Amino acid sequence: MNEITLLVADDHPLFRSGVRNELERIEHFQIIAEAGDGIEALKLIKEHKPDVAILDFEMPGLNGLEIASKVADLDFVTAIILLTMHRDRKIFYKAIDMGINGYVLKDDAITDIINAVKAVSAGRPFISDDLAEILIEKARSTQPDKDIADKINELTFAEKRVLNLVAELKSNQEIADLLFISKRTVENHKVNISSKLGLESSRKLLKFALQNRNLMN
């Protein structure tokens, strides 16, 4: 397995040091840079091109979302994991819209950061369990939108199974393995689902799946 290169950015030195110490214990994880503010973090991302950047949401200079927006315009791929104290659904969905790959609540930081790095490195999104529970409970308590429910019902059985697994944050390969189909077939299903639901990107598909899990069972 190749080394996974990491950048850690947080304006609290003790927290940043603790995260670094724990990550350095993990085989194949390599910390190549760390930053104490958003401007320095963006500069180091451009300089070192890490596989994964772990960014605090609230930092001087630029916050995690602002950095993610600028990284999205670069000509290389760095997966972004956002560290936050916020359980706000609006912030979370904005993060998804901006292409952030992992969303980790600081309450569960160390274990979740390690799992998030492993997930995003394998092409899967990651959400802290506590936040996922909040999203699920919110979805259950929300009155279903009839138009959305009708659109979901228009999907084929296979497409609904794929959409459910997208909501469970499975990668294309994991979905393929679970459904005993090829990865290309999964990709085709996702294209068809997005077309039927009027979604323009894989991020919007993920957002839709998470927001409407209660309508897919």
Side-chain angles (χ1 to χ4, degrees):
M1 181 179 178
N2 295 330
E3 295 290 314
I4 300 170
T5 56
L6 307 170
L7 174 142
V8 179
D10 192 289
D11 60 330
H12 294 90
L14 288 178
F15 180 84
R16 190 171 70 246
S17 176
V19 170
R20 176 172 190 145
N21 289 339
E22 291 300 321
L23 291 175
E24 286 179 332
R25 298 173 186 268
I26 307 300
E27 188 177 8
H28 303 301
F29 284 12
Q30 180 185 4
I31 309 291
I32 59 172
E34 60 180 279
D37 64 68
I39 293 174
E40 182 185 14
L42 181 60
K43 174 179 174 290
L44 290 172
I45 289 171
K46 291 178 178 179
E47 179 180 344
H48 294 284
K49 301 178 176 64
D51 296 318
V52 181
I54 302 163
L55 309 175
D56 186 24
F57 174 72
E58 295 177 310
M59 287 187 290
L62 296 168
N63 66 36
L65 289 179
E66 291 168 332
I67 296 170
S69 176
K70 294 180 182 299
V71 169
D73 294 331
L74 300 176
D75 60 354
F76 58 87
V77 177
T78 291
I80 303 293
I81 296 172
L82 191 69
L83 304 179
T84 179
M85 298 295 295
H86 297 282
R87 288 172 167 79
D88 188 303
R89 293 171 72 248
K90 290 181 180 178
I91 293 176
F92 168 72
Y93 288 131
K94 185 174 182 180
I96 288 181
D97 287 341
M98 296 178 70
I100 287 175
N101 309 81
Y103 199 96
V104 174
L105 294 175
K106 278 193 166 182
D107 292 350
D108 311 311
I110 297 301
T111 299
D112 273 8
I113 289 172
I114 293 170
N115 290 333
V117 170
K118 292 177 179 178
V120 303
S121 300
R124 301 192 311 272
F126 181 91
I127 305 170
S128 285
D129 286 344
D130 285 351
L131 179 62
E133 286 299 317
I134 291 169
L135 294 172
I136 292 168
E137 288 304 317
K138 180 65 177 178
R140 286 172 179 164
S141 65
T142 301
Q143 185 69 25
D145 185 310
K146 186 177 184 303
D147 289 341
I148 291 176
D150 288 344
K151 287 182 179 180
I152 292 174
N153 287 333
E154 290 174 3
L155 301 178
T156 67
F157 176 72
E159 290 167 349
K160 289 178 183 177
R161 293 178 73 189
V162 169
L163 189 59
N164 265 300
L165 291 170
V166 169
E168 292 178 14
L169 308 182
K170 302 297 185 185
S171 68
N172 286 353
Q173 188 60 61
E174 287 173 325
I175 295 172
D177 293 342
L178 287 166
L179 299 183
F180 302 102
I181 58 179
S182 70
K183 185 178 176 182
R184 172 61 66 87
T185 299
V186 173
E187 292 168 351
N188 289 338
H189 278 317
K190 290 174 79 171
V191 168
N192 291 336
I193 293 166
S194 295
S195 177
K196 290 179 180 180
L197 297 177
L199 306 171
E200 300 166 356
S201 67
S202 59
R203 292 198 299 270
K204 290 187 182 299
L205 178 61
L206 172 62
K207 182 177 176 181
F208 178 93
L210 290 170
Q211 286 178 321
N212 296 288
R213 289 183 70 170
N214 60 319
L215 301 179
M216 294 187 288
N217 298 317

